[in-house]
């Protein structure tokens, strides 16, 4: 018996159709899902927005800023230091902060107080820029090149007395590459003097292509750029003379930063690196607990422990000095002195413990005083009770007099004895002696008849 397709149930027909479907039918959707960028990634519009204030910096200075931005906590400390030392700049300023625990890339920025003044205007922006560079270094550098091309097209990026602007073929491209794909290089006109440009991104880049993501703009400080906020193009303040403060340079097309080891070791005398360490690597030990934005960075750097072994070298800790401090602490402990606190937390804990101990001692002193006062009160009450009992006992005995009379009250017995002794002594004195006082006059009695005397 032949069964036509029209006699088959509809569900069975659907199953047969699905079974016959080729796997390529679902492939485009799968590829689309796989090619979707991570939700943690910054979009090109967001990158151009955050890189706009820095994209026209000389390459070497931009490299230092990108490295330093991955340590936002250190940058905030350097901003405070620069505000307290507004006239410090150049290599000498970097040497003044050699003992600070900041990352060397952050220390190098104190040579340029105008840069730290800009970074201090928005710490959240600094952290976003550092997170973007850690997670998307190639995308950040592409953003810088896009912005430079925009400024060049607008006629606001050309060589002058402060900057040297040049182009070179993109990495891996031929000499016939289109100009739009060339890499724009910005260098200082004088390698020994760096001019930090200040500009308004809303004008220097021409019409902004992303109205929903306007560029970040922070007006320059008049202290470093007198009248610079009113200029339409690039404004330059006083040049900063340096020899070794800038030791990094962007390696365009490779997404990393090259390190000039000789310059680095010259300015960081207490943090020497090997000649093979000529490519920058983020040191998670210097992050100081600031969380990473994206999951990839958290997995790569959050659990990175091998950098912790180099923390002392990067932070300028001297093992010999640490050993001297430890010996001094041990000597003080043996002599009965309290050793200094090793950290702020330990100092706070000690202060709290001392305060609690003082409170306990004061409370104990109050308890002892209360106990003493209670004991004195009890003693007085007991004495009063004994006196009352004694008086009651004597009252019950009435006027009885025996050999033990007065034994319960020695003072009263002594007074009675003295009075008795005085009466006896008075009776034994002669009449003439006893009459020393007022004489008693008695009425005379008539003599009785019979002439006899009174019979006793």
């Amino acid at each position: 018996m032949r069964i036509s397709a029209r006699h088959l149930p509809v569900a069975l027909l659907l199953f047969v159709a699905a079974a016959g479907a080729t796997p390529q039918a679902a492939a485009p959707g799968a590829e689309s899902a796989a090619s979707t960028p991570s939700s943690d990634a910054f979009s090109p519009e967001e990158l151009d927005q955050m890189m706009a204030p820095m994209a026209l910096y000389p390459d070497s200075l931009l490299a230092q800023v990108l490295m330093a931005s991955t340590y936002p906590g250190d940058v905030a400390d350097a901003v405070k230091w620069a505000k307290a030392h507004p006239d410090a700049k150049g290599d000498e300023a970097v040497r003044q902060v050699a003992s600070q625990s900041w990352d060397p890339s952050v220390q190098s920025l104190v040579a340029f107080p105008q840069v730290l003044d800009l970074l201090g205007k928005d710490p959240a922006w600094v952290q976003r820029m550092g997170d973007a560079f850690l997670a998307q270094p190639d995308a950040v550098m592409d953003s810088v090149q896009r912005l430079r091309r925009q400024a060049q097209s607008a006629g606001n990026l050309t060589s002058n007395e402060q900057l040297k602007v040049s182009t070179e073929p993109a990495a891996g491209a031929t000499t016939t590459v289109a100009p739009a794909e060339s890499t724009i290089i910005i260098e200082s006109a004088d390698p020994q003097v760096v001019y930090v440009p200040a500009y308004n991104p809303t004008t220097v880049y021409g019409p902004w292509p992303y109205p929903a993501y306007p560029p970040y703009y922070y007006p320059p400080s008049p202290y470093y750029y007198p009248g610079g906020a009113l200029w339409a193009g690039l404004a330059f303040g006083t040049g900063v003379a340096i020899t070794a403060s800038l030791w990094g340079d962007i390696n365009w097309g490779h997404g990393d930063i090259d390190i000039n080891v000789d310059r680095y070791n010259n300015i960081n005398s207490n943090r020497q690196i090997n000649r093979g360490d000529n490519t920058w690597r983020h040191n998670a030990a210097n992050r100081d607990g600031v969380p990473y934005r994206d999951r990839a960075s958290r997995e790569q750097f959050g659990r990175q422990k091998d950098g912790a072994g180099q923390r002392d070298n990067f932070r300028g800790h001297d093992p010999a000095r640490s050993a001297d401090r430890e010996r001094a602490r041990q000597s003080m402990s043996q002599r009965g002195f309290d050793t200094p606190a090793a950290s702020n937390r330990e100092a706070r804990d000690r202060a709290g413990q001392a305060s609690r101990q003082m409170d306990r001692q004061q409370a104990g002193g109050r308890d002892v005083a209360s106990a003493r006062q209670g004991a004195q009160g009890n003693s007085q009450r007991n004495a009063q009770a004994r006196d009352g009992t004694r008086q009651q006992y004597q009252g019950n005995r009435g006027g009885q007099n025996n050999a033990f009379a007065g034994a319960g009250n020695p003072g009263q017995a002594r007074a009675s004895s003295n009075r008795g002794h005085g009466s006896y002594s008075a009776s034994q004195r002669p009449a003439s002696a006893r009459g020393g006082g007022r004489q008693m006059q008695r009425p005379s009695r008539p003599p009785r008849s019979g002439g006899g005397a009174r019979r006793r």
Side-chain angles (χ1 to χ4, degrees):
M1 179 178 178
R2 259 182 105 179
I3 301 177
S4 62
R6 63 180 178 173
H7 293 95
L8 293 175
V10 176
L12 181 59
L13 290 175
L14 293 176
F15 174 78
V16 173
T22 59
Q24 288 80 2
E31 291 177 357
S32 177
S35 60
T36 301
S38 170
S39 60
D40 292 336
F42 290 105
S43 66
E45 295 83 1
E46 291 176 307
L47 291 174
D48 288 1
Q49 181 186 49
M50 74 174 67
M51 295 307 303
M54 295 281 181
L56 304 186
Y57 276 18
D59 290 5
S60 57
L61 181 58
L62 177 61
Q64 300 291 151
V65 172
L66 290 176
M67 289 186 291
S69 64
T70 64
Y71 311 102
D74 288 354
V75 172
D77 291 340
V79 169
K80 294 179 182 178
W81 188 93
K83 288 182 178 180
H85 305 80
D87 296 328
K89 61 183 179 179
D91 294 341
E92 179 58 30
V94 179
R95 292 188 176 93
Q96 290 181 25
V97 298
S99 60
Q100 298 289 341
S101 60
W102 314 331
D103 187 85
S105 62
V106 178
Q107 290 188 351
S108 69
L109 290 185
V110 301
F112 310 96
Q114 58 269 59
V115 174
L116 287 176
D117 178 74
L118 176 61
L119 296 177
K121 296 181 183 297
D122 190 353
W125 162 54
V126 176
Q127 184 170 348
R128 283 168 58 86
M129 184 165 50
D131 290 338
F133 183 61
L134 285 176
Q136 304 166 254
D138 291 330
V140 169
M141 294 183 181
D142 290 343
S143 172
V144 171
Q145 287 298 320
R146 279 196 304 271
L147 293 169
R148 289 183 175 183
R149 284 192 288 268
Q150 288 180 225
Q152 196 174 52
S153 299
N156 294 319
L157 183 60
T158 58
S159 296
N160 51 35
E161 296 180 358
Q162 294 83 16
L163 299 179
K164 176 184 177 182
V165 181
S166 60
T167 59
E168 64 181 25
T174 63
T175 55
T176 59
V177 65
E181 298 176 355
S182 299
T183 299
I184 299 178
I185 307 299
I186 302 178
E187 301 172 292
S188 296
D190 183 352
Q192 303 297 324
V193 181
V194 177
Y195 291 89
V196 182
Y199 52 88
N200 187 341
T202 59
T203 59
V204 76
Y205 293 115
W208 190 254
Y210 319 114
Y213 297 91
Y216 293 158
Y217 173 53
Y218 307 98
S221 172
Y223 184 83
Y224 301 108
Y225 300 93
L230 303 177
W231 292 13
L234 301 183
F236 298 94
T238 304
V240 179
I242 55 97
T243 58
S245 295
L246 296 181
W247 39 262
D249 199 6
I250 295 179
N251 188 358
W252 298 106
H254 294 85
D256 57 16
I257 294 177
D258 294 335
I259 294 178
N260 187 319
V261 177
D262 292 335
R263 282 193 170 193
Y264 178 95
N265 288 337
N266 186 13
I267 197 68
N268 298 289
S269 57
N270 59 342
R271 306 180 185 188
Q272 301 291 290
I273 61 175
N274 298 325
R275 188 161 296 277
D277 298 332
N278 56 0
T279 301
W280 179 77
R281 292 187 297 273
H282 175 70
N283 185 4
N286 288 353
R287 181 79 172 185
D288 287 339
V290 177
Y292 294 95
R293 176 180 178 272
D294 61 289
R295 184 174 65 180
S297 296
R298 289 193 297 268
E299 293 178 351
Q300 180 179 359
F301 302 112
R303 297 178 299 180
Q304 184 181 9
K305 302 300 182 183
D306 49 339
Q310 302 175 358
R311 186 169 184 170
D312 289 341
N313 294 332
F314 276 99
R315 297 204 160 211
H317 292 177
D318 187 356
R321 186 182 302 171
S322 300
D324 292 340
R325 285 196 297 265
E326 183 61 27
R327 284 193 295 269
R329 292 168 67 89
Q330 293 178 359
S331 176
M332 292 178 67
S333 178
Q334 292 174 358
R335 296 180 181 181
F337 296 101
D338 290 337
T339 57
S343 63
N344 290 337
R345 177 177 295 179
E346 183 179 349
R348 288 193 297 268
D349 293 343
R350 288 188 181 183
Q353 183 178 1
S355 178
R356 289 190 296 270
Q357 184 176 359
M358 183 177 295
D359 291 342
R360 287 195 297 268
Q361 291 177 353
Q362 292 177 352
R366 289 192 295 268
D367 293 342
V368 171
S370 299
R372 289 179 177 175
Q373 293 176 358
Q376 292 176 358
N378 292 335
S379 177
Q380 293 175 358
R381 286 192 294 271
N382 293 336
Q384 293 174 358
R386 287 195 300 269
D387 291 342
T389 302
R390 185 181 300 114
Q391 294 173 2
Q392 183 179 2
Y393 174 76
Q394 291 176 355
N396 292 337
R397 291 174 60 90
Q400 295 180 1
N401 191 8
N402 54 32
F404 298 99
N409 194 339
Q412 184 177 359
R414 188 177 303 109
S416 300
S417 176
N418 291 336
R419 287 196 299 271
H421 181 71
S423 299
Y424 174 78
S425 299
S427 64
Q428 297 298 321
R429 285 180 292 177
S432 59
R434 290 197 305 270
R438 181 180 179 183
Q439 279 189 335
M440 298 295 294
Q441 299 292 332
R442 295 180 181 179
S444 58
R445 293 180 180 180
R448 296 182 178 180
S449 59
R454 185 180 180 181
R455 186 175 297 175
R456 296 182 183 270

